Amino acid sequence: MRDMESIYKEHAQTVYKFLLAQTHSADLAEELTQETFYQAVRSIDRFDANCKMSVWLCQIAKHLWYQHLRRQKREIPSDDDAFELPLPSAEEESMGDIGRLELLKLVHSLGEPAREVVYLRAFGGLSFREIGDVFGKSENWARVTFYRGKERLKGGVIDET
């Protein structure tokens, strides 16, 4: 097993971007990223080497985010700063002239896993490889899922799930 410092250097950015996409708050994402690695150190003996380290860390991060939400007694963050995050240019061009609030409403109406993939890509800035790692799927799966979600958004087709 590699030392935690090298694991941190290799995966901290992925965990942070994952949490940023979930929390829409840079400060909270940073705090939860630090807590994620603290929890990882405490439970490293439970790491299954058959799983990618990034997937394991993002699962810890997701559980910490859910704990935070339960402590705040809310299910959906209401942080208005979420609308200040820029879309990466390729996604911005493909989304057309939809307003940011309207875009978030449309993305929120997508079914899973497309909704989370679009959030991670467009608002979290994760690469398709990183998104695939988070879901335990391939980079190509992430690309296809994002593309299909983006096409639903362009067409205004909303999932009822």
Side-chain angles (χ1 to χ4, degrees):
M1 175 64 59
R2 300 174 310 197
D3 65 286
M4 251 348 242
E5 184 177 346
S6 66
I7 291 171
Y8 179 84
K9 286 179 181 176
E10 185 176 340
H11 299 288
Q13 192 67 12
T14 299
V15 172
Y16 172 77
K17 287 179 179 179
F18 171 76
L19 285 165
L20 184 61
Q22 300 299 312
T23 65
H24 306 291
S25 165
D27 291 337
L28 182 56
E30 180 62 35
E31 180 182 327
L32 290 174
T33 298
Q34 296 305 317
E35 181 66 19
T36 297
F37 282 92
Y38 172 73
Q39 293 298 327
V41 168
R42 291 185 57 207
S43 60
I44 193 71
D45 57 315
R46 290 185 291 196
F47 174 66
D48 179 6
N50 294 327
C51 172
K52 289 184 177 182
M53 180 65 71
S54 59
V55 173
W56 182 65
L57 291 168
C58 285
Q59 286 300 318
I60 293 171
K62 181 175 77 171
H63 290 292
L64 290 170
W65 168 234
Y66 289 161
Q67 285 177 356
H68 173 80
L69 290 176
R70 280 192 298 274
R71 279 193 307 270
Q72 299 299 315
K73 296 198 188 292
R74 62 182 187 200
E75 293 182 17
I76 300 173
S78 61
D79 185 0
D80 290 339
D81 294 338
F83 306 114
E84 301 301 321
L85 295 173
L87 286 169
S89 61
E91 282 71 30
E92 193 169 60
E93 289 174 17
S94 67
M95 296 299 178
D97 292 329
I98 299 174
R100 182 153 332 272
L101 180 57
E102 199 57 37
L103 174 61
L104 282 168
K105 286 178 183 178
L106 284 172
V107 171
H108 185 70
S109 67
L110 288 173
E112 290 298 335
R115 174 182 32 227
E116 192 164 354
V117 169
V118 171
Y119 278 142
L120 292 173
R121 177 68 180 167
F123 300 104
L126 268 66
S127 70
F128 291 116
R129 182 185 58 77
E130 291 168 327
I131 294 169
D133 284 349
V134 166
F135 281 90
K137 306 268 187 180
S138 69
E139 178 179 342
N140 192 50
W141 174 88
R143 285 181 188 280
V144 169
T145 303
F146 178 78
Y147 175 78
R148 289 177 180 163
K150 184 174 67 174
E151 290 301 305
R152 282 189 213 115
L153 292 173
K154 281 181 177 178
V157 176
I158 307 304
D159 295 342
E160 296 297 326
T161 57

